[in-house]
């Protein structure tokens, strides 16, 4: 399996980034509209229906299609003789006032109309056609060349669903977004209604569009408040398959990286990537009893800069392009991806959940120099899926031991692999810092699940660890945690972690292993706790969820949330979840990958706030119970949790992971 570096840094990032801003229909329009004409083409699949014509189940479910040299939305026919109406809409998409202008499409689907005097290009100015059974297609009039199609309607619906202020959208940003969607290779044809077209688009590019819409709708922010040096720590699950069914791979990837964020005007940010420590462990084979271990660690240095956008709602967004990587006999194609880092309000802390994928091909020598330099698109070898959770933390400049005081809540996740064995473990406890360079670690409780060759079902163990006192912790002036050692130790016990600039958040990422034998990877997060239970009523949180399920028959399932999955707290004891979740399913180590998505709405969450004790968030249904056990920070703007799922009735937990809650403007 390809080791997936942070942000696919081998070249997936483009310096051309979707810049978001706030404007109005007058300031962002084209100025005088005297004799301004709007024209375009209206298209839809034959009979005004649309549907995705699948290529492979993997590509469908993963929102991913590799673009050919000239990618486009295909399978659309001109809509002839349709009435085209120019209207204003409110933020719910409903018409405001009278129709502003009318025309009809020609036999080729083309139309042309003149904007009335005083009407400017804007995100809430729409051209609309209505077909049989009152089906409609709309397009935002944000430039003079406006095509009306399922894509334009799909993008408008995404803006509406995310509560965007349509009249304040910067028109050039909307144009860029629609253009990026049209760069995907998608075929729409042979179905019964437009809703199937929208479902197909959502399945293929929904996550990509939602991430970009969140940026456009957020408006520009003041990036001066986030400038500084940063460290990141990431933990990633990965699965890959082979098209010939010969074998497959499970992998854990761990990395810690160094960055700087430079502030620019209008929300622009320059991100410099300078260094990355990594550890990678994988289990490969046709089945667990035929598996082998690969383990690798390393340090990479970089001198890379790329553009980003900081929005008014605390998103730092980096847009990657379609990318192709070559490494000997294999090459990978990565889809375009938007990396949205969500800021903890008014801090130098950001969190990123990346739902990424690649398609693997054989490579060819195109110029006869003896070196393979391109993928062979006719020789697809397999699919690879990655799910990573990463924190970015601004570093202090003059840290001293006295800065780190109080009690912290700690959550921990670890994976262990050896031939025939895969285990995942989580743990929770508290850490107390007196401010003198020592730490007391409280007794820990946890859970361990596993797959063992020859067993028909996963294993489960409830775990405990004793308390430890007077551990010596060494932290440098820039917040680098270099060792944590038992009292009286002759040699310091090296570790890799960091503390943030406010000294109220800690992260560790550690590994050990031997190639061909075993690999152990773990990640720790800790937040400073309030003295009493905080108030969460009325708050809205972005939920970043990443877990692994181990099932019967050596089944492996990666579970993760999409960016716009939210927890809304009605009170201190109840909340609800709305959003979408991915499942990446592998029926055994050598099995094929299958991916599904599930939209949820108003899923009830029972909350037990702990303050200095653990907080539990519980979701129950007829199949089982999901428990998020962890801690909120002092003002409840950030929550860190271990994830556990247990089936209803007899049976043990078989899903473990991490979840992050970041407060956003509801």
């Amino acid at each position: 399996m390809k080791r997936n570096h942070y942000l696919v840094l081998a070249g997936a990032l483009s310096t051309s980034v979707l810049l978001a801003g706030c404007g109005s229909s007058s300031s962002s329009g084209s100025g005088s509209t005297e004799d301004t004409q709007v024209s375009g083409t209206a298209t839809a699949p034959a009979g005004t229906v649309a549907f995705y014509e699948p290529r492979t189940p993997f590509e469908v479910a993963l929102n991913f299609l590799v673009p050919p040299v000239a990618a486009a939305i295909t399978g659309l026919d001109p809509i002839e003789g349709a009435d085209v109406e120019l209207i204003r809409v409110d933020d719910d998409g409903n018409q405001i006032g009278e129709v502003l202008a009318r025309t009809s499409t020609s036999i080729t689907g083309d139309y042309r109309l003149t904007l009335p005097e005083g009407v400017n290009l804007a995100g809430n100015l729409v051209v609309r056609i209505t077909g049989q059974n009152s089906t409609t297609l709309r397009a935002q009039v944000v430039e003079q060349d406006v095509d009306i199609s399922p894509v334009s309607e799909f993008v408008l619906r995404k803006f509406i669903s995310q509560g965007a202020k349509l009249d304040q959208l910067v028109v050039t940003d909307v144009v860029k977004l629609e253009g990026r969607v049209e760069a995907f290779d998608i075929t729409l044809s042979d179905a019964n209604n437009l809703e199937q077209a929208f479902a197909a688009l959502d399945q293929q590019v929904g996550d990509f569009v939602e991430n970009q819409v969140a940026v456009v709708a957020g408006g520009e922010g003041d990036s001066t408040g986030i400038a500084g040096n940063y460290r990141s720590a990431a933990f990633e699950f990965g699965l890959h398959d082979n098209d010939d069914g010969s074998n497959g791979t499970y992998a854990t990837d761990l990395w810690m990286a160094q960055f700087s964020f430079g502030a620019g005007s209008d929300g622009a940010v320059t991100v410099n990537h300078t260094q990355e420590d990594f550890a990678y462990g994988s289990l490969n084979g046709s089945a667990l009893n035929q598996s082998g271990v690969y383990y690798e660690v390393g340090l990479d240095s970089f001198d890379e800069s790329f553009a980003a956008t900081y929005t008014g709602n605390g998103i730092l967004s980096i847009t990657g392009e379609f990318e192709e990587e070559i490494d000997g006999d294999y090459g990978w194609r990565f889809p375009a991806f938007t990396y949205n880092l969500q800021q903890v309000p008014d801090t130098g802390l950001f969190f990123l959940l990346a739902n990424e994928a690649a398609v693997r091909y054989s490579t060819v020598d195109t110029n006869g120099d003896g070196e393979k330099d391109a993928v062979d698109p006719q020789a697809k070898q397999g699919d690879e899926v990655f799910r990573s959770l990463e924190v970015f933390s601004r570093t202090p400049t003059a840290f001293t031991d006295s800065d780190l005081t109080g009690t912290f809540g700690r959550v921990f996740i670890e994976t262990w692999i050896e031939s025939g064995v895969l285990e995942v473990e989580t743990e929770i406890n508290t850490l107390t810092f007196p401010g003198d360079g020592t730490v007391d670690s409280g007794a820990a409780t946890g859970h361990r699940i596993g797959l063992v060759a020859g067993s028909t079902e996963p294993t489960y163990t409830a775990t405990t660890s004793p308390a430890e006192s007077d551990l010596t912790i060494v932290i440098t002036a820039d917040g680098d945690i270099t060792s944590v050692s038992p009292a009286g130790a002759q040699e310091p016990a090296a570790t890799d972690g960091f503390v943030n600039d406010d000294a109220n958040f800690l992260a560790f990422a550690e590994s050990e292993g031997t190639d061909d034998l075993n690999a152990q990877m773990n990640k720790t997060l800790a937040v400073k706790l309030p003295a009493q239970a905080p108030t969460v009523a009325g708050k809205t949180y972005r939920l970043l969820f990443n877990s692994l399920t181990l099932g019967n028959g050596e089944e492996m399932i990666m579970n993760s949330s999409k960016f716009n999955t939210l927890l809304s707290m009605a009170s201190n004891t109840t909340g609800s979840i709305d959003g979408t979740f991915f499942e990446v399913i592998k029926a055994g180590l050598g099995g094929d990958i299958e991916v599904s998505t599930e939209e949820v709405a108003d899923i009830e969450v029972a909350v037990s706030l702990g303050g200095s004790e653990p907080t539990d968030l519980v979701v129950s249904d007829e199949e089982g119970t999901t428990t998020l056990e962890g801690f909120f920070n002092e003002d409840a703007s950030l929550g860190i949790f271990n994830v556990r799922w247990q089936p209803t009735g007899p049976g043990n937990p078989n899903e473990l992971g991490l979840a992050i809650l970041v407060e956003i403007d509801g």
Side-chain angles (χ1 to χ4, degrees), residues 123 146 178 199 563:
V146 182
E178 291 189 1
F563 183 71

Side-chain angles (χ1 to χ4, degrees), residues 137-218:
L137 287 177
R138 296 168 294 179
Q140 292 166 278
V141 184
V142 290
E143 59 180 338
Q144 289 179 250
D145 185 8
V146 182
D147 290 336
I148 308 169
S149 73
V151 170
S152 63
E153 173 70 24
F154 179 74
V155 170
L156 175 58
R157 289 188 181 192
K158 288 298 184 183
F159 276 116
I160 293 170
S161 68
Q162 293 194 34
K165 301 296 183 183
L166 297 181
D167 64 335
Q168 296 181 21
L169 298 177
V170 175
V171 295
T172 53
D173 294 344
V174 182
V175 173
K176 291 177 184 177
L177 173 53
E178 291 189 1
R180 292 179 63 83
V181 176
E182 290 169 355
F184 283 75
D185 182 31
I186 303 172
T187 300
L188 301 169
S189 59
D190 301 333
N192 298 317
N193 56 67
L194 281 170
E195 292 306 317
Q196 290 179 312
F198 304 136
L201 286 166
D202 198 44
Q203 197 172 42
Q204 296 169 71
V205 295
D207 195 41
F208 173 80
V209 172
E210 286 178 14
N211 277 270
Q212 297 235 348
V213 164
V215 175
V216 175

Side-chain angles (χ1 to χ4, degrees), residues 75-92:
L76 303 177
D77 292 340
I79 303 173
E80 63 175 285
D83 290 333
V84 181
E85 298 174 319
L86 179 71
I87 60 173
R88 293 276 188 194
V89 296
D90 62 19
D91 292 339
D92 294 320

Side-chain angles (χ1 to χ4, degrees), residues 15-34:
T15 57
S16 173
V17 176
L18 181 68
L19 298 177
C22 247
S24 67
S25 59
S26 58
S27 63
S28 61
S30 60
S32 172
T33 60
E34 183 178 355

Side-chain angles (χ1 to χ4, degrees), residues 7 64 76 99 101 109 123 200 216 243 266 268 300 324 380 382 413 437 464 502 585 622:
L7 296 186
F64 174 49
L76 303 177
V99 174
V216 175
D243 284 359
D266 302 325
D300 293 331
E324 187 172 286
K380 180 174 175 290
I413 187 168
T464 59
D502 292 325
I585 305 165
E622 63 277 5

Side-chain angles (χ1 to χ4, degrees), residues 495-551:
T495 189
D496 198 356
F498 53 79
V499 61
N500 70 328
D501 57 345
D502 292 325
N504 56 14
F505 176 86
L506 301 137
F508 297 83
E510 300 174 292
S511 74
E512 61 178 309
T514 303
D515 190 27
D516 292 329
L517 290 179
N518 54 54
Q520 183 182 54
M521 316 275 195
N522 65 65
K523 181 174 182 176
T524 294
L525 302 175
V527 295
K528 190 170 184 178
L529 300 178
Q532 58 188 15
T535 296
V536 297
K539 292 180 180 284
T540 300
Y541 295 91
R542 195 174 305 283
L543 171 61
L544 290 77
F545 184 102
N546 194 20
S547 70
L548 185 68
T549 301
L550 302 179

